Amino acid sequence: MVIPLRQSLGAPATPVVKVGDEVKVGQPVGEAAGFVSVPVHASISGKVTAVGRFPHPLGGEHQAVVIEGDGEDAWHESVRPREHAESLTPKEIIDIVREAGIVGLGGAAFPTHVKLSPPESKPIDVAILNGAECEPWLTADHRLMLERPAEVMKGFWLIMKALGCDSGFVGIESNKPDAVEAMRAAVPEGSGIQVVMVQVKYPQGAEKQLIDALTRRKVPAGGLPMDVGAVVQNVGTALAVYEACYLGRPLVRRVVTITGTPVENPSNFLPRIGAMVEGLVELAGGLKGEVSK
């Protein structure tokens, strides 16, 4: 696994391991370098074989930790389920989210604990869970809502609790009626959460457009959702919050869609962070025909 220490829009993490160290799943390999930054964790157990600059998905080279797996998949002792996660305080939820290294999994990768900590001058009265895929070919969030609806909804409820708001919307495009049905069935009783079917219209998955569609509030040019009392989180982010608060697991995996006309068997996978895209393409049956990009 090649685990980038730059995994958010904030400052890259600072490495806390060296070559030769033995690590376990969920063990920190990088510490946050400020408030707008997140720690990074080992996604497999094994030995650190390199700490240096490697190609980064966003271009160029950035510092990363390379781990050679031992095949044991042993989890670190600090990773253990938490009893009564539903009784956590807002501050405890935010602290857990920060230590788990959770960032927005809809694409922006903004540190989630920062989004859950708006200034007192910007009170939040509505939370929105984004179940509208941000690009037409992606189906990662769709699969999560079908396969893990209860966990996703519990994570969203924790997000609402951290923000101190009693009203929540789940926005799902109308071409995903099965996801709408699954998520409505998973809404916790008395949670104040509504699952709303929205129009299939690009870019419905962009947070400003989704806020407008669900609440008719318009974020001003150059402004942020918190300027209109709203915070938007992605379906995958909500699952990560659930796993951190209930299972004690940091962010070490995410759903990835491998798709496109050259892909033999377009699929969704749940790989550990640091896995090679090449390996995922092979799992999807490889490529066929001419591939230009």
Side-chain angles (χ1 to χ4, degrees):
M1 296 289 175
V2 181
I3 303 174
L5 291 173
R6 181 189 178 195
Q7 286 191 26
S8 76
L9 278 182
T14 303
V16 293
V17 292
K18 61 185 183 302
V19 173
D21 285 354
E22 299 281 347
V23 296
K24 294 182 178 179
V25 187
Q27 179 176 338
V29 296
E31 63 182 6
F35 179 62
V36 188
S37 181
V38 294
V40 174
H41 304 79
S43 58
I44 58 172
S45 60
K47 181 180 289 188
V48 176
T49 58
V51 179
R53 298 181 70 81
F54 290 84
H56 192 278
L58 296 182
E61 292 188 343
H62 291 274
Q63 201 166 33
V65 173
V66 182
I67 302 172
E68 182 178 335
D70 58 12
E72 296 295 325
D73 200 36
W75 286 75
H76 192 257
E77 295 74 19
S78 63
V79 178
R80 53 184 181 273
R82 183 176 287 104
E83 293 184 12
H84 311 302
E86 61 278 356
S87 64
L88 290 168
T89 67
K91 182 181 184 305
E92 287 172 334
I93 294 170
I94 294 170
D95 288 345
I96 291 168
V97 166
R98 182 181 63 247
E99 292 305 311
I102 298 174
V103 300
L105 297 180
F110 190 75
T112 301
H113 70 274
V114 179
K115 264 185 135 175
L116 297 181
S117 308
E120 291 185 5
S121 60
K122 309 272 188 184
I124 306 300
D125 65 351
V126 63
I128 293 174
L129 188 63
N130 191 344
E133 304 278 359
C134 62
E135 295 293 337
W137 285 53
L138 298 184
T139 53
D141 294 340
H142 189 183
R143 293 309 314 173
L144 270 183
M145 290 186 289
L146 291 180
E147 298 185 27
R148 308 286 295 278
E151 294 98 322
V152 169
M153 202 61 84
K154 286 180 180 178
F156 183 41
W157 181 81
L158 288 167
I159 287 168
M160 291 174 59
K161 188 173 183 181
L163 291 167
C165 61
D166 299 322
S167 177
F169 291 98
V170 182
I172 305 173
E173 290 171 304
S174 59
N175 62 354
K176 304 175 180 64
D178 48 358
V180 172
E181 181 180 354
M183 292 292 279
R184 280 179 176 165
V187 173
E189 188 175 347
S191 64
I193 296 173
Q194 300 178 57
V195 178
V196 180
M197 188 180 287
V198 296
Q199 187 178 352
V200 180
K201 182 172 65 174
Y202 186 84
Q204 192 70 274
E207 62 179 11
K208 291 181 181 180
Q209 282 76 7
L210 193 60
I211 291 169
D212 185 16
L214 292 171
T215 69
R216 296 304 172 203
R217 301 180 189 183
K218 297 188 182 298
V219 179
L224 296 170
M226 67 176 64
D227 294 328
V228 295
V231 163
V232 182
Q233 296 285 5
N234 171 261
V235 166
T237 310
L239 178 64
V241 170
Y242 164 82
E243 291 192 337
C245 291
Y246 278 84
L247 307 180
R249 293 185 175 182
L251 181 61
V252 296
R253 62 181 186 172
R254 67 150 298 144
V255 179
V256 174
T257 303
I258 303 296
T259 188
T261 50
V263 179
E264 188 68 40
N265 299 306
S267 308
N268 285 292
F269 300 106
L270 187 59
R272 304 291 174 92
I273 290 172
M276 298 294 179
V277 173
E278 180 182 18
L280 298 179
V281 172
E282 289 176 3
L283 283 174
L287 302 175
K288 58 186 178 181
E290 293 294 320
V291 180
S292 61
K293 186 177 181 181

